Amino acid sequence: MSQSSTTRRYTGALGTVPAPGLVLGGVCGIQFGAAFSPRIYPQVGAPGVVFLRLLIAGVLLCLLCCRRREAFGSVKGSWGTVTGAGALLAGHHLAFYEAVNHIPLGAVATIEFLGPFVIALAGSRRAVDLLPACLAVGGVLLLSGGGVPLAPVGLALAAVAACCWAGYILVSSRMARRISGSQGLAPAVLWAGLLSAPYGIAHAGSALLDPYVLAVAACVAVAASVLPYSFNLEALRRIPPRVFGVLTSMEPAAGALFGFLLLGQRLAWPQWLGIAAVACASLTATFLGARERRGSGVSAEGKRPHSTNPSPAENAPAAVPVD
């Protein structure tokens, strides 16, 4: 499927950036957007932010990734998967941004990160895989009871966001196998924006048309959606999932850092230790998974040499952040 000259230039520019830089740039963009969006919470609240961010991001992704006549034609026969991914994105964003309204961003990012972590451990069959699980549990305990009080409603919303993220990863992996490139992502994000429209409009009303609100929402959409999605897709073409998983393990720490720099949110040292424990759990699970694949003869790309029927677990893609 042909691309516009603008898309080709943009893709060419991404090709000049080292893959680790793309992943870390995407991580920082996601957390920057989450920390920047509370600037318009007084005007439109979290529902208004989510609606504008997803709608703007969906439109921009459609313009960037698809020709006008091809924007939706490429998903013919896969609309159920695309709409499912969009619904999970809408639920994830609403829960995530509402959670940030109650507890520090670093705590939200850490709990949410457990979604793909659980997926990574779901197929484990070895006792050694209990090590990262214990690290993660210990990290959450330190985070929730380590000093700065965390509102139960915020913790619950962050857990909902984690579940939606995990579901999105499973559905989007199916979407990626059915639809080439990022053609399915654009309509999925646009559908998520449309799903969030009733709640966002009912909550924010005419404030959604305020120029300042639109400017901040556009900044968040670009920084936390359009750029990270593009960065991660390009990076995954050049690095194995193991390396991608290691780099994205920085996300909880990035959330805590941007929460401190932009929102003045402080955490006690045991809570920082809890964030570090969850990141270490992700790193450990990543390396153990890579070691298991090497021991069973599975390559970094998830394919077993001389095998014609690899299992679904072997072909599972790396988790792409969608905050």
Side-chain angles (χ1 to χ4, degrees):
M1 191 171 295
S2 60
Q3 294 176 303
S4 67
S5 59
T6 301
T7 303
R8 287 196 297 269
R9 287 195 297 269
Y10 178 66
T11 303
L14 291 184
T16 64
V17 181
L22 290 173
V23 179
L24 293 178
V27 167
C28 290
I30 288 169
Q31 298 307 321
F32 168 81
F36 192 67
S37 60
R39 292 171 182 263
I40 54 175
Y41 275 16
Q43 293 98 318
V44 297
V49 171
V50 169
F51 164 55
L52 288 175
R53 171 191 163 171
L54 288 172
L55 183 65
I56 294 171
V59 171
L60 291 176
L61 285 168
C62 283
L63 294 175
L64 181 65
C65 301
C66 317
R67 285 188 173 189
R68 182 179 302 176
R69 287 177 297 179
E70 297 170 344
F72 299 103
S74 61
V75 301
K76 185 178 180 180
S78 300
W79 277 110
T81 303
V82 171
T83 55
L88 287 164
L89 273 181
H92 164 269
H93 281 59
L94 286 170
F96 184 92
Y97 280 84
E98 286 285 8
V100 174
N101 207 20
H102 294 279
I103 60 177
L105 175 59
V108 178
T110 303
I111 295 171
E112 180 211 31
F113 198 73
L114 296 177
F117 176 76
V118 170
I119 291 178
L121 291 180
S124 299
R125 298 291 186 272
R126 303 171 303 167
V128 70
D129 291 318
L130 292 176
L131 175 59
C134 291
L135 274 173
V137 171
V140 171
L141 291 176
L142 283 170
L143 185 66
S144 60
V148 177
L150 301 179
V153 64
L155 294 172
L157 287 167
V160 171
C163 293
C164 289
W165 187 5
Y168 171 79
I169 291 169
L170 296 175
V171 173
S172 65
S173 67
R174 182 180 181 184
M175 183 172 67
R177 290 192 295 269
R178 291 187 169 197
I179 306 171
S180 63
S182 57
Q183 299 296 322
L185 178 63
V189 175
L190 186 60
W191 175 242
L194 295 176
L195 284 178
S196 63
Y199 187 34
I201 294 173
H203 189 277
S206 61
L208 292 168
L209 301 178
D210 182 271
Y212 175 73
V213 169
L214 289 173
V216 172
C219 180
V220 172
V222 172
S225 294
V226 178
L227 293 180
Y229 295 158
S230 304
F231 288 0
N232 289 329
L233 285 172
E234 177 63 25
L236 282 168
R237 293 189 181 101
R238 291 190 264 153
I239 58 175
R242 176 183 62 82
V243 178
F244 184 86
V246 169
L247 294 170
T248 54
S249 297
M250 298 296 295
E251 188 162 348
L257 180 60
F258 278 104
F260 172 72
L261 293 177
L262 298 184
L263 300 175
Q265 296 175 337
R266 297 179 180 273
L267 296 171
W269 72 264
Q271 291 170 312
W272 280 99
L273 188 60
I275 291 174
V278 172
C280 288
S282 176
L283 290 170
T284 304
T286 299
F287 282 110
L288 288 175
R291 186 176 180 180
E292 181 180 15
R293 285 192 296 271
R294 285 196 299 269
S296 58
V298 178
S299 69
E301 287 73 21
K303 297 179 182 178
R304 186 186 303 276
H306 310 298
S307 173
T308 58
N309 295 299
S311 69
E314 291 170 356
N315 282 329
V320 178
V322 296
D323 300 66

